[in-house]
Amino acid sequence: MKSGARLGLILLLTPLLLWLVLLILIPHVDMFLVSLRERVGVGEYQVSLANYLTFFQEPLYLWTFLRTAVMSIMATLITLLIAFPVSYFIAKIARGRSRSALFLLCLVPFWVSELVRTFGWMILLRETGIISNLLQWAGLVSGPVEMLYNDAAIMVGLVYTSMLFMVVPLVTTLESLPDEVIEAGYDLGGTNTSVMREIVIPHAAPGIVSGSIVVFMLSLGNYLTPTMLGGKDSLWFTELIYSQFIVRFNWELGAAFGFMLLLLSSLIVWGMLRLTGQTLERTMG
C-alpha cells in the first residue's frame, strides 16, 4: 500500500477509533472496575463481587431484570409483525412517488425528539385525552378511561419509538429481492403463503434479524418511555440503574446493574443469531 493511501486510510479510521475508544471502550472498562468495588469505610474500597451478589440475592432486582427482558422481546416481536407487511408494501408493491411518500410517513415521527413523541402518547391515552373522549362520545364507555401507567401503554410506546429501526433494514433487504423471483414462484404454482414462506422471508432474514437486534437493544435500554408511560408497578431495569446512580449515589451497584444488562443483551443477541443461523457480519453488513 502506498504511503498516500495508507495516510488516507488512517485519517478515515481515526474518528471511528476515537469514538470507539473514548466513548465506548474506556467508559465500559471504568464502569466494570467500579462495579468490582465494595465500600468498607469512608472513602475506602476493596475489590469484591458483592455488588453482583446483591443483584442475585434480591428478588426485586431479578424480577425486574427478567421482566424487562421479556417485555423487550415482546416489543420486538410486535414491531416485526407490524413492520414486515408495511415494509413489503413499500418495497415490492408501491411504485414511484407513493413509495417515497410512504417511507417519508414512517420517518416523519422521528423528526421530533422521543420526549415529544412520548408526551403525544400521554395526551392520547390519559383519561381526559382524545381516545377516552371518543369512546365516551361513541357511547362505548360511561366515563373517562385511564389508559396510561400500565404495561400496555409501555408496549405501545416502545413499538412506536422503534418502528423505523425495523422498517429501514426490512425495506432495504426486500428491495434487493428481484420481482422476477417472486413471479417465478407464482408461475411454479406457489400460493401467497408458500411464496412468502419459501422465498420472501428467507431472503429478508438478514433484515429481520438486524432490525430485531436494534429494536431489542433500544427497548431493553429505554428509560424515558417506561418511566413516563408506566405506572408504579411497571418497573424497568434502567429505572433501577438510574436510581442507583442518581438517587442513591451507589455507583458501585449501579455499575454492576449496567453490566448485567449488557450481559443479558449480548446473550439474547447471540442466541438470536444462533437460532436463525445468521452471522453478525451478514445481518449488519
Side-chain angles (χ1 to χ4, degrees):
M1 183 181 293
K2 296 181 180 180
S3 59
R6 185 182 297 109
L7 178 61
L9 179 62
I10 293 175
L11 291 177
L12 287 173
L13 291 179
T14 297
L16 174 62
L17 293 176
L18 287 175
W19 180 72
L20 290 173
V21 173
L22 296 178
L23 299 180
I24 297 180
L25 182 60
I26 292 178
H28 277 79
V29 170
D30 184 62
M31 189 170 69
F32 177 69
L33 295 177
V34 171
S35 71
L36 295 177
R37 297 192 311 182
E38 180 185 9
R39 183 175 300 176
V40 294
V42 179
E44 297 182 3
Y45 301 91
Q46 67 179 12
V47 177
S48 172
L49 295 175
N51 296 308
Y52 293 95
L53 293 176
T54 300
F55 168 80
F56 287 105
Q57 292 172 354
E58 176 54 57
L60 176 63
Y61 298 154
L62 280 173
W63 167 247
T64 306
F65 188 73
L66 296 175
R67 180 181 181 279
T68 302
V70 171
M71 288 194 64
S72 298
I73 294 173
M74 291 176 58
T76 303
L77 293 175
I78 295 173
T79 305
L80 176 60
L81 291 175
I82 298 174
F84 192 88
V86 173
S87 303
Y88 185 82
F89 187 87
I90 293 174
K92 309 309 296 180
I93 300 178
R95 292 291 184 268
R97 293 184 177 179
S98 60
R99 174 185 294 182
S100 302
L102 290 173
F103 193 81
L104 182 63
L105 287 176
C106 295
L107 183 64
V108 165
F110 291 83
W111 289 0
V112 297
S113 68
E114 183 181 358
L115 179 63
V116 175
R117 297 197 301 269
T118 305
F119 267 123
W121 278 111
M122 294 182 70
I123 293 173
L124 288 175
L125 298 177
R126 63 184 180 180
E127 61 181 357
T128 58
I130 297 175
I131 296 178
S132 178
N133 289 332
L134 285 175
L135 292 175
Q136 294 177 71
W137 176 80
L140 298 177
V141 295
S142 58
V145 179
E146 179 63 84
M147 301 180 186
L148 282 175
Y149 313 123
N150 52 56
D151 290 345
I154 293 178
M155 195 63 63
V156 169
L158 291 176
V159 171
Y160 178 73
T161 56
S162 305
M163 185 61 63
L164 182 66
F165 301 99
M166 185 69 79
V167 169
V168 170
L170 284 176
V171 169
T172 303
T173 307
L174 290 170
E175 282 182 338
S176 65
L177 176 62
D179 293 338
E180 293 79 6
V181 175
I182 300 177
E183 294 173 1
Y186 286 112
D187 292 340
L188 293 173
T191 62
N192 290 334
T193 303
S194 62
V195 169
M196 186 65 64
R197 183 182 65 249
E198 302 295 337
I199 298 177
V200 178
I201 293 180
H203 184 86
I208 293 173
V209 175
S210 62
S212 297
I213 289 175
V214 174
V215 171
F216 172 75
M217 298 291 284
L218 290 174
S219 300
L220 190 71
N222 199 311
Y223 171 77
L224 185 63
T225 300
T227 301
M228 296 181 65
L229 299 181
K232 60 181 181 180
D233 296 326
S234 301
L235 293 178
W236 207 256
F237 198 68
T238 50
E239 297 179 32
L240 295 182
I241 297 175
Y242 176 88
S243 176
Q244 296 298 330
F245 274 107
I246 306 301
V247 178
R248 301 184 180 183
F249 297 101
N250 190 346
W251 283 44
E252 294 76 26
L253 189 57
F257 284 1
F259 257 87
M260 292 304 300
L261 191 65
L262 177 63
L263 178 62
L264 170 69
S265 60
S266 301
L267 287 175
I268 292 181
V269 169
W270 176 81
M272 184 186 305
L273 293 173
R274 291 296 299 270
L275 184 64
T276 57
Q278 300 292 317
T279 63
L280 191 62
E281 180 181 1
R282 184 183 179 190
T283 56
M284 296 301 179

